[in-house]
Amino acid sequence: MRNSRLPYATAVLVLGISSIALCCCYGLPGIMTGIIALILYRKDIRYYEKNKMQYDNLDSLKTGRKLSIIGISMSLVYILYLIFAYYIAGAEAFSDPTVIWK
């Protein structure tokens, strides 16, 4: 009998990668894609726990989860950086990043 694939494993992996890639876009797209990936991960892990012998792509699901957590973390760090830049240098720090380091 051939094992089937988890329905959202590829989506979780793609969203995890995109959350890392989008963390530099002011942080918000990276957080949103990472949260969506974690929600889809939770749905898929429930399918897997019901019948462990039926599914075979758990590794890509776990990798997508790890990537989404990394992407959310990087996005939060970038948002904290933006808050710091706004607090120290004001709105002109967003258009000229060298203002912070003068």
Side-chain angles (χ1 to χ4, degrees), residues 7-35:
Y8 299 117
T10 304
V12 170
L13 187 61
V14 169
L15 287 169
I17 292 169
S18 66
S19 72
I20 291 175
L22 294 174
C23 73
C24 296
C25 298
Y26 293 104
L28 193 59
I31 290 174
M32 289 189 314
T33 55
I35 289 173

Side-chain angles (χ1 to χ4, degrees), residues 76-100:
L76 288 174
V77 167
Y78 191 72
I79 287 175
L80 290 175
Y81 166 75
L82 291 176
I83 292 170
F84 171 76
Y86 187 76
Y87 178 72
I88 296 297
E92 58 190 44
F94 292 115
S95 61
D96 186 15
T98 60
V99 171
I100 286 183

Side-chain angles (χ1 to χ4, degrees), residues 25-66:
C25 298
Y26 293 104
L28 193 59
I31 290 174
M32 289 189 314
T33 55
I35 289 173
I36 293 169
L38 290 177
I39 290 169
L40 293 177
Y41 168 81
R42 204 165 97 192
K43 286 182 180 180
D44 259 2
I45 205 68
R46 287 181 186 158
Y47 288 139
Y48 179 76
E49 287 175 353
K50 287 181 183 176
N51 192 358
K52 294 182 180 188
M53 301 306 277
Q54 183 179 356
Y55 301 109
D56 65 350
N57 61 340
L58 183 66
D59 292 335
S60 64
L61 186 68
K62 286 184 178 180
T63 303
R65 176 179 177 249
K66 290 174 189 174

